[in-house]
Amino acid sequence: MNYKSLLAIVCGVLITSNAFAQANILNAKSPDEIGVRTEEQKALDNDKPLEYGYVDDRDIMFAKMTWEKVILDERVNFPLYYPVDTNNIGSNRRSLYDVLTKAIVDGEIETVYNDSYFTGKRTQKELADITTKIDTLDIGYDQFNAEGRVDAEYITTRQISSFDISAYLIKGLWYFDKRQGELKYRLLGIAPAAPDVNFIDSDDEANKEPNPLFWIFYPDARNVLHEAKSFNSKNSAIPFSFDHILNARRFNSVITREENVYGDRKVEEYIPENALMQLLESDRIKDKIRNFELDMWSY
């Protein structure tokens, strides 16, 4: 490696570190200035998500669409889950769910969908209905029967928060680019999943199955996810953006289905009530995709 290449790499690392670190923390004169970058810093950083390269359909020799579940109980997936309590933490750290929902409310993500094929759009009212439960206490029913009214203190509101998100469902395409001669992956959709809000506090395990709340076409969310940073336990000066974590596949997942002739049926539909065999089937699908690239270089 020559000196010019080494100098370019060092400069790139330094610029990246300055862009990702909590801005202005050492130069701030007051807490309000922490995390606030000047216009000059923003112009110098030129920090944008890495653009996807154009892929011509004729260059795709092999492709397989897959749906995966990212279970947030696993330690490697914790950066997507935490923090769940934001009362005593800075505004620069939020969970992936909080980032997505805030972007939807603010209009930065304009469209969300009700399925992974992006055929039907969800309205704000539909989002509120599936994430909020309004219930009345027993004493409220007694008051209604006696007086015909219910005081507000007897009405409870339960809303799904980042604490309740137990998994993320992702949809993506594995494809072999014959021009570059390698197997690649392109993330197409992501959905936070949580138990049904009407049974979210139930002790019955059957009611804890995570269901997708909404689907987002991933390219629509890349700018938002690039700006939002996740905690890096090894070096807090260089946090990872959520866009980097997802595109680099820095998570563990289980394939729940692949596109197939049976209407893209799920693994659990043809291997029911056997978690071990479902995991083995997921691994079989992964191996089938990976082995295609290996077999390309067998002589």
Side-chain angles (χ1 to χ4, degrees):
M1 180 183 293
N2 56 40
Y3 289 107
K4 290 184 179 179
S5 300
L6 179 60
L7 180 61
I9 292 174
V10 172
C11 291
V13 170
L14 292 176
I15 292 174
T16 304
S17 301
N18 290 332
F20 286 168
Q22 190 172 357
N24 210 34
I25 189 170
L26 298 180
N27 300 315
K29 300 297 188 295
S30 67
D32 295 336
E33 296 180 5
I34 297 177
V36 179
R37 293 186 297 168
T38 65
E39 294 300 324
E40 291 77 8
Q41 287 175 321
K42 294 178 182 179
L44 180 63
D45 291 343
N46 192 23
D47 192 22
K48 297 179 181 179
L50 184 64
E51 293 185 6
Y52 293 140
Y54 176 76
V55 181
D56 194 287
D57 290 341
R58 294 172 295 182
D59 293 334
I60 300 177
M61 178 180 292
F62 164 84
K64 177 67 69 173
M65 192 79 70
T66 60
W67 287 258
E68 300 170 77
K69 178 188 289 187
V70 181
I71 301 174
L72 299 182
D73 283 345
E74 300 183 33
R75 184 176 297 274
V76 69
N77 297 330
F78 281 177
L80 302 177
Y81 180 67
Y82 288 101
V84 294
D85 183 3
T86 58
N87 292 326
N88 299 312
I89 200 167
S91 59
N92 61 308
R93 289 182 57 190
R94 289 293 181 267
S95 67
L96 177 57
Y97 179 72
D98 285 340
V99 170
L100 293 175
T101 51
K102 183 178 185 300
I104 293 171
V105 172
D106 294 344
E108 295 179 275
I109 299 177
E110 298 181 356
T111 308
V112 294
Y113 302 87
N114 55 21
D115 59 39
S116 61
Y117 296 97
F118 313 112
T119 54
K121 299 179 181 180
R122 282 208 190 278
T123 64
Q124 291 290 345
K125 183 180 183 305
E126 289 175 336
L127 288 176
D129 290 341
I130 64 176
T131 57
T132 306
K133 178 181 70 172
I134 300 176
D135 201 1
T136 304
L137 300 177
D138 291 339
I139 192 173
Y141 286 112
D142 294 339
Q143 182 186 28
F144 181 79
N145 293 330
E147 305 175 12
R149 65 183 182 87
V150 179
D151 291 337
E153 60 184 307
Y154 302 138
I155 298 177
T156 61
T157 301
R158 175 71 161 90
Q159 193 166 20
I160 289 179
S161 65
S162 56
F163 174 81
D164 303 305
I165 303 301
S166 56
Y168 281 94
L169 308 182
I170 60 174
K171 174 186 178 182
L173 182 72
W174 290 97
Y175 66 95
F176 187 86
D177 189 333
K178 67 179 182 181
R179 183 180 295 274
Q180 298 190 18
E182 60 180 323
L183 185 69
K184 295 184 177 181
Y185 178 79
R186 181 71 60 85
L187 183 59
L188 299 177
I190 184 170
D196 189 322
V197 69
N198 296 304
F199 308 101
I200 198 167
D201 296 318
S202 171
D203 294 330
D204 189 352
E205 289 296 327
N207 295 326
K208 295 183 179 181
E209 180 66 23
N211 302 305
L213 301 177
F214 52 83
W215 279 91
I216 294 175
F217 184 57
Y218 187 76
D220 289 343
R222 288 201 67 203
N223 288 327
V224 172
L225 297 181
H226 177 73
E227 292 295 330
K229 309 300 181 184
S230 176
F231 184 72
N232 181 356
S233 59
K234 295 183 178 180
N235 186 355
S236 60
I238 309 178
F240 297 117
S241 71
F242 286 115
D243 181 60
H244 171 77
I245 291 175
L246 293 169
N247 272 311
R249 295 185 61 85
R250 299 176 67 95
F251 55 81
N252 187 48
S253 63
V254 176
I255 293 179
T256 58
R257 60 172 158 155
E258 61 173 335
E259 57 179 353
N260 52 62
V261 70
Y262 304 104
D264 298 344
R265 66 179 180 177
K266 299 180 180 179
V267 171
E268 63 184 18
E269 293 179 6
Y270 60 92
I271 306 180
E273 301 179 359
N274 193 327
L276 176 59
M277 295 304 297
Q278 291 172 4
L279 287 175
L280 293 176
E281 174 66 6
S282 174
D283 289 339
R284 185 193 68 81
I285 296 173
K286 289 180 181 179
D287 289 340
K288 179 176 65 175
I289 295 172
R290 182 173 61 241
N291 288 342
F292 179 89
E293 181 183 28
L294 298 177
D295 293 341
M296 290 295 296
W297 309 114
S298 298
Y299 297 96

